[in-house]
Coordinates of all heavy atoms in Angstrom, one line a residue:
Q46 N -0.6 -5.6 -8.1 CA 0.0 -6.0 -6.8 C 1.4 -6.5 -7.0 O 2.2 -6.6 -6.0 CB -0.8 -7.0 -6.1 CG -2.2 -6.5 -5.7 CD -3.0 -7.6 -5.0 OE1 -3.6 -8.4 -5.6 NE2 -2.9 -7.6 -3.6
C89 N -6.0 -8.4 2.2 CA -5.4 -8.1 0.9 C -3.9 -8.2 1.1 O -3.3 -7.7 2.1 CB -5.7 -6.6 0.5 SG -5.0 -6.1 -1.0
H131 N -13.1 -8.1 -5.5 CA -11.9 -7.5 -4.9 C -10.8 -7.4 -5.9 O -10.1 -6.3 -6.0 CB -11.6 -8.4 -3.7 CG -10.3 -8.0 -3.0 ND1 -10.3 -7.6 -1.7 CD2 -9.0 -7.9 -3.4 CE1 -9.1 -7.3 -1.3 NE2 -8.3 -7.5 -2.3
H135 N -8.8 -4.0 -7.9 CA -7.3 -3.7 -8.0 C -7.0 -3.2 -9.4 O -6.1 -2.3 -9.6 CB -6.5 -5.0 -7.8 CG -6.2 -5.2 -6.3 ND1 -5.6 -4.3 -5.5 CD2 -6.5 -6.3 -5.5 CE1 -5.5 -4.8 -4.3 NE2 -6.0 -6.0 -4.3
Ligands
ZN201 ZN1 -6.2 -7.2 -2.6

Side-chain angles (χ1 to χ4, degrees):
Q46 295 183 276
C89 181
H131 177 117
H135 275 301

